[in-house]
Amino acid sequence: MLNVIALMGRLTADPELRRTPSDIAVTTITIAVDRGYVRQGEERQTDFIPVVCWRQSAELVCKYFKKGDMIAVNGRLQSRKYEDSQGNKRTAYEVVADSVHFTGSRRDSSAVPVRHDAPPAPSFAAGNDDFEILGNDDDMPF
């Protein structure tokens, strides 16, 4: 059997570090993950997935991540049964993180700025061939 989940998305809120009575670090975050397809005429859908991080992962997330940051999580799906305040039986699903990874921040995801004062790139289609023709031997330089 296999229970593996890999997610990459943005944090929907700043993570908050909590501690269990036995002083184990834990945080619950929600990651907004865009679906990989869009139906014609509709906007892209987003899933909001709860993730629980324990111990060092929880401390790392709370120290280095904030709302809007991109994060990658590897983990497993877990279900919990509970009874709500009206006595109804409920099931909650969440991802338990085995590892978390940096993938960049909102600032990094924007388009690369273009320098208007930079010299124009050479046009190789126009016949600018600054390339050296290599022989047909097997000694490639890489």
Side-chain angles (χ1 to χ4, degrees), residues 5-70:
I5 296 206
L7 301 169
M8 187 167 77
R10 296 196 183 277
L11 292 179
T12 62
D14 289 336
E16 295 181 25
L17 188 66
R18 299 184 322 268
R19 298 225 173 243
T20 65
S22 56
D23 201 38
I24 297 173
V26 62
T27 189
T28 301
I29 57 176
T30 301
I31 300 176
V33 179
D34 289 338
R35 292 187 185 171
Y37 62 90
V38 180
R39 289 188 178 149
Q40 189 172 5
E42 293 183 10
E43 290 186 25
R44 183 175 302 275
Q45 298 292 309
T46 302
D47 293 307
F48 297 89
I49 302 171
V51 178
V52 179
C53 302
W54 292 92
R55 297 176 178 77
Q56 291 86 0
S57 292
E59 292 173 353
L60 178 123
V61 167
C62 290
K63 184 173 182 179
Y64 295 107
F65 289 90
K66 63 184 181 318
K67 179 181 178 178
D69 285 346
M70 186 74 80

Side-chain angles (χ1 to χ4, degrees), residues 102-122:
F102 294 95
T103 58
S105 67
R106 282 186 289 186
R107 292 178 299 277
D108 295 338
S109 66
S110 62
V112 176
V114 177
R115 287 185 45 201
H116 297 288
D117 61 338

